[in-house]
Amino acid sequence: MLTGSIPTGFGVATSEDIVKNLKEANEDEGVKAIVMRINSPGGSPAAAEEIVGIMKKINKPIVISMGDIAASAAYYISVPADRIIANPDTMTGSIGVIWEFQNRSQFYDKEGTSFYIAKSGELKDMGGDWRGLSDEEKQYADQLILEAYLRFVNEVANDRNLSVSKVKDLADGRIYTGSKSKELGLVDELGSLDEAIEIAAKLGGIEGKPEVRYATGRHSPAYCSEVRRQRYRH
């Protein structure tokens, strides 16, 4: 998941498209409930925050249906929902934040490549792969990661009705199966997409078989980052 809007074919779900679909569903009086089908390893914290922001403004039931994987930022956007449904072997959790830095200075030295960096501040070229991080930069990177991590932990704790200490015990980046996640309180029930639809229909007060309509996003269902929502009518 990324912020912005990216053309189809790259296997990316964007917050812009997802937010647009959620807004349309919320504004449509015929829509009684929303199912978000998630099959994603995660992505940008900012993208997740944009999606969570609109989810909290929606006044209709939202049910999450997890596919093969709904980890990290993909779990982040699951927790505000009214109900989370996972398959027993869905890979979910991975509560945490990661930031990767590369140091290719030895390669550049070997190849005879040198750099001159003109910068306005000491940290402006932080993360450039022509050198490693200084101790100050490592400390600052850890600080930023901790800040984002605590937001993630607090979101899970608040929305899943868990203590912050319990979430921290679970939030070391580990992946959990859907079955284990149910035991830990990270998901509500085990089941398929069809069962998630049934639950959403009940939460939306729909009698009989609901009409299911898929969002018209630009991302093909073949891509793992795709998030779909179904709409229900009487």
Side-chain angles (χ1 to χ4, degrees):
M1 295 185 297
L2 297 174
T3 57
S5 184
I6 296 174
T8 186
F10 292 94
V12 175
T14 67
S15 57
E16 184 175 295
D17 287 339
I18 296 167
V19 166
K20 176 177 179 291
N21 288 331
L22 289 171
K23 283 183 177 179
E24 289 176 354
N26 193 44
E27 293 167 0
D28 188 332
E29 294 183 358
V31 175
K32 303 304 180 184
I34 299 169
V35 172
M36 293 174 64
R37 176 68 164 175
I38 299 181
N39 203 12
S40 170
S44 159
E49 287 164 357
E50 290 187 357
I51 296 167
V52 166
I54 191 63
M55 288 174 70
K56 291 187 173 184
K57 295 178 181 178
I58 290 176
N59 55 8
K60 301 176 182 182
I62 299 177
V63 174
I64 298 296
S65 172
M66 293 180 171
D68 297 310
I69 184 169
S72 196
Y75 181 70
Y76 195 122
I77 69 170
S78 300
V79 295
D82 296 282
R83 203 73 59 84
I84 302 176
I85 315 301
N87 289 290
D89 286 316
T90 294
M91 296 290 102
T92 188
S94 189
I95 301 169
V97 186
I98 186 172
W99 190 2
E100 177 185 334
F101 296 91
Q102 289 190 1
N103 180 359
R104 296 171 58 86
S105 58
Q106 291 186 7
F107 169 79
Y108 292 132
D109 290 342
K110 182 179 179 180
E111 295 297 314
T113 303
S114 61
F115 296 86
Y116 170 74
I117 307 299
K119 56 184 180 180
S120 59
E122 284 302 312
L123 300 182
K124 189 61 180 175
D125 67 335
M126 174 180 166
D129 70 354
W130 51 84
R131 66 175 180 83
L133 295 179
S134 67
D135 290 341
E136 179 186 2
E137 289 168 335
K138 290 176 182 177
Q139 183 177 4
Y140 185 62
D142 289 343
Q143 177 184 329
L144 292 178
I145 290 298
L146 179 60
E147 183 181 341
Y149 169 77
L150 291 176
R151 273 193 291 270
F152 196 164
V153 167
N154 287 328
E155 191 72 42
V156 174
N158 291 334
D159 292 331
R160 296 300 304 166
N161 196 27
L162 299 170
S163 68
V164 170
S165 61
K166 180 174 181 179
V167 175
K168 284 184 176 180
D169 289 340
L170 304 175
D172 58 3
R174 275 179 290 178
I175 289 284
Y176 301 100
T177 64
S179 294
K180 187 64 177 179
S181 296
K182 185 176 183 298
E183 292 178 20
L184 297 172
L186 297 177
V187 306
D188 296 299
E189 298 182 37
L190 300 179
S192 65
L193 174 60
D194 286 342
E195 289 163 312
I197 291 172
E198 291 176 5
I199 291 169
K202 290 179 182 178
L203 292 175
I206 297 172
E207 298 179 0
K209 186 177 181 179
E211 176 187 345
V212 181
R213 297 192 351 192
Y214 289 80
T216 55
R218 291 172 295 177
H219 302 292
S220 163
Y223 295 116
C224 69
S225 298
E226 180 239 358
V227 179
R228 302 178 293 183
R229 66 112 169 92
Q230 290 85 38
R231 304 191 291 181
Y232 306 94
R233 297 179 185 273
H234 285 295

